[in-house]
Amino acid sequence: MGRRKSQRKNIAMLDSDEDTSSVSSSSTARSDLMSVSGTDDVQVDKDSLLEQALDALYEKRGSTREKALAAIIEAFNTNLPHQFVEKKFATLLHQCLKSIKKGSSKEIALACHAIGLLALTVGSGDNAREILEESVAPISHALKSSSDSLKTVSLLECLAVVTFVSATETEETERSMQIMWQLLHPKLGSNVVAVKTPAAVVTAVVSTWAFLLTTMDGCSLNSKDWQESISYFSTLLDKDDRSVRISAGEALALIFATGIEKLAAENKTTPDGSVLEGNKYREGYTHILGLKSKILNQVRSLSAEAGGKGSTKKDLNSQRNLFKDVLEFLEDGYIPDISMKIGGDSLQMSTWSELIQLNFLKHFLGGGFVKHMQDNELLHDVFGFTPKRKHIPGVEHQMTSVEKRMFQSPNSVHNKARTQFLNKQRMLSKDRNVGHFAVGMGDEDSR
């Protein structure tokens, strides 16, 4: 694998906050909860506002809870409130879970976003484990009963972020991926008619599934399952919706980044240790080559697609650029080399795993992306990113007493969690340069 010989200039400027989603922004909350310098006195004022919003989650009126959740989201986007999280972590989590169980679609979407931000703020560790253990069941239940696209997409993104941050075992990640996959391939009774899945939900399933795939070791693959996943994503490249095509293209690039043909040619054993012999082995390998040939033709066409009715130039260019990158990768092994400007710092990415992780988190965090990339230690570890510390001119930055306990003590929860996270990253490091692939698609009877 290598980088392309003549690369397009691929630089994103993020000196200022970008547009935030309707779920994660509120002009009123922004004015009330604007971030200022990090002294203990100011932190108390911020936390008192957050505590007021938390108290409002107990109100009976749904619109009051929605405004409170929007204020909490804005606070987590503009400042990482570690002192508040240390004191009120469990209360915030369980009030958000109550909203997921009984709230309106809008309230559920807001609560999901708040839980995701909470997970990113606490990082790896015991609190993150609690978020995962407490959240998966209610999210899974809500997904099964959801018919609203906004609600479903928010639930999927919450599940993805919580699993990404908190899962320490392969089985936990596979469980979440299976929950996602079943939305596209549900178990249906004999008298149940399959309902067409909205394009927004298909895009969200593929994107969240691929996001978790970046954390997995490709050696755990079941050959039949990965063949079926490639086939399915290939069918999505022919869909009318451009966002579906783009998400499927990214997922396929990630899958093939594992060197799938090489695995098929050199490793004749499945993850359970059984040996693929004779016709069975040749049939699987031939099938993969056939799929790749078909996908190459599809990708080549999408990389040069002409604009059609109703298509915007920005969306069309996004599709063309992505599929040009995928085409060069599939044909020549060149990996896109992208530099992103974050404030005054530059973040370099050169693997499909990194690109998919960054795109997903940038989408999820919205206007809070720059703040989290500059100040969130978990994201620094994920991307190997060390930003220059920016302070108000003439004002020396001071850590609060709680932040000192959380981040500077060798025995702090943060440092223990950071060590755990880095150990997990090192275990995957030999595969990191080309991405990862695992399935989590269940047994045949789940399709």
Side-chain angles (χ1 to χ4, degrees):
M1 298 284 176
R3 298 178 186 176
R4 68 179 64 151
K5 296 175 182 177
S6 57
Q7 301 174 9
R8 289 192 308 276
K9 188 174 182 181
N10 239 329
I11 301 177
M13 300 298 292
L14 289 173
D15 288 304
S16 59
D17 287 358
E18 296 193 350
D19 294 339
T20 47
S21 66
S22 59
V23 172
S24 63
S25 65
S26 165
S27 58
T28 301
R30 180 178 291 276
S31 63
D32 289 341
L33 295 167
M34 186 62 68
S35 174
V36 289
S37 59
T39 64
D40 284 337
D41 290 341
V42 173
Q43 189 65 44
V44 169
D45 292 337
K46 295 180 196 174
D47 289 352
S48 66
L49 291 170
L50 272 168
E51 288 176 6
Q52 291 174 27
L54 181 58
D55 288 342
L57 295 182
Y58 290 90
E59 295 292 330
K60 292 183 178 180
R61 188 184 296 272
S63 59
T64 301
R65 296 195 301 271
E66 290 170 6
K67 290 178 181 177
L69 286 166
I72 290 168
I73 289 168
E74 187 65 19
F76 276 78
N77 271 342
T78 57
N79 179 59
L80 275 62
H82 295 295
Q83 189 167 337
F84 171 80
V85 168
E86 185 178 56
K87 293 186 297 183
K88 301 292 185 178
F89 158 78
T91 304
L92 177 57
L93 172 62
H94 289 99
Q95 286 305 117
C96 287
L97 290 174
K98 286 182 181 178
S99 291
I100 288 177
K101 292 175 183 177
K102 65 179 183 181
S104 64
S105 291
K106 182 178 179 181
E107 183 178 347
I108 290 171
L110 288 162
C112 286
H113 206 77
I115 291 175
L117 288 169
L118 179 63
L120 287 169
T121 302
V122 303
S124 303
D126 292 340
N127 285 345
R129 295 293 305 165
E130 183 176 343
I131 295 176
L132 181 66
E133 292 166 1
E134 296 291 330
S135 300
V136 171
I139 289 175
S140 178
H141 178 76
L143 282 169
K144 291 176 182 177
S145 60
S146 176
S147 58
D148 180 272
S149 293
L150 172 65
K151 172 182 170 182
T152 301
V153 170
S154 299
L155 288 163
L156 285 166
E157 291 180 351
C158 179
L159 179 61
V161 171
V162 167
T163 304
F164 179 82
V165 173
S166 310
T168 56
E169 303 294 335
T170 299
E171 292 76 13
E172 294 170 335
T173 303
E174 289 179 338
R175 175 185 61 184
S176 293
M177 295 172 75
Q178 175 65 16
I179 291 170
M180 297 166 179
W181 197 260
Q182 285 178 348
L183 289 181
L184 300 180
H185 302 278
K187 295 180 180 180
L188 298 175
S190 57
N191 297 322
V192 178
V193 178
V195 178
K196 183 179 179 180
T197 306
V201 173
V202 175
T203 300
V205 170
V206 176
S207 297
T208 53
W209 189 87
F211 177 61
L212 292 184
L213 190 59
T214 64
T215 69
M216 300 288 286
D217 182 353
C219 295
S220 62
L221 271 175
N222 175 287
S223 62
K224 184 175 181 180
D225 282 343
W226 54 248
Q227 288 179 36
E228 291 178 355
S229 69
I230 296 172
S231 296
Y232 177 71
F233 291 137
S234 175
T235 66
L236 295 185
L237 295 181
D238 294 328
K239 297 298 182 181
D240 292 333
D241 189 90
R242 182 164 283 125
S243 63
V244 170
R245 298 198 296 266
I246 289 174
S247 63
E250 289 182 338
L252 284 166
L254 181 62
I255 292 170
F256 279 101
T258 59
I260 230 160
E261 302 102 318
K262 185 177 180 182
L263 285 173
E266 296 180 359
N267 301 301
K268 297 186 180 183
T269 59
T270 62
D272 62 8
S274 59
V275 178
L276 298 176
E277 295 288 0
N279 291 335
K280 186 176 181 181
Y281 160 69
R282 288 191 293 272
E283 180 181 326
Y285 181 51
T286 301
H287 183 56
I288 287 296
L289 292 180
L291 283 173
K292 184 177 181 182
S293 177
K294 175 188 175 184
I295 290 168
L296 269 171
N297 290 330
Q298 292 173 299
V299 168
R300 189 175 291 108
S301 176
L302 290 169
S303 69
E305 183 183 57
K309 182 179 180 181
S311 65
T312 66
K313 184 176 181 180
K314 180 180 178 181
D315 291 342
L316 182 60
N317 287 339
S318 295
Q319 174 181 293
R320 286 173 176 168
N321 289 338
L322 170 71
F323 284 104
K324 283 177 182 177
D325 288 338
V326 176
L327 182 62
E328 289 187 2
F329 171 68
L330 292 178
E331 287 185 330
D332 304 314
Y334 294 133
I335 300 172
D337 190 13
I338 292 180
S339 174
M340 175 175 283
K341 201 76 173 175
I342 300 174
D345 304 294
S346 182
L347 173 63
Q348 302 290 331
M349 295 157 289
S350 58
T351 73
W352 284 105
S353 290
E354 290 172 339
L355 292 174
I356 288 171
Q357 288 174 355
L358 189 83
N359 285 338
F360 183 89
L361 290 170
K362 181 171 175 285
H363 161 76
F364 181 81
L365 288 167
F369 174 74
V370 173
K371 178 66 176 176
H372 275 262
M373 284 301 296
Q374 290 176 330
D375 295 343
N376 191 316
E377 298 289 340
L378 173 70
L379 298 190
H380 298 170
D381 294 339
V382 169
F383 296 108
F385 180 61
T386 306
K388 300 171 185 175
R389 298 298 178 183
K390 290 188 175 180
H391 310 305
I392 300 172
V395 178
E396 182 179 355
H397 176 71
Q398 299 177 22
M399 295 184 74
T400 67
S401 57
V402 172
E403 288 174 330
K404 289 176 182 177
R405 291 198 304 273
M406 290 185 72
F407 294 106
Q408 292 185 342
S409 169
N411 295 320
S412 68
V413 172
H414 170 79
N415 278 325
K416 290 179 179 178
R418 185 175 185 273
T419 299
Q420 182 186 55
F421 178 83
L422 290 175
N423 286 340
K424 181 180 178 182
Q425 294 297 98
R426 291 187 188 102
M427 290 176 64
L428 298 173
S429 62
K430 66 179 181 180
D431 295 323
R432 189 75 172 177
N433 289 332
V434 292
H436 309 295
F437 177 67
V439 183
M441 290 167 45
D443 298 328
E444 177 67 22
D445 61 1
S446 70
R447 295 182 175 80

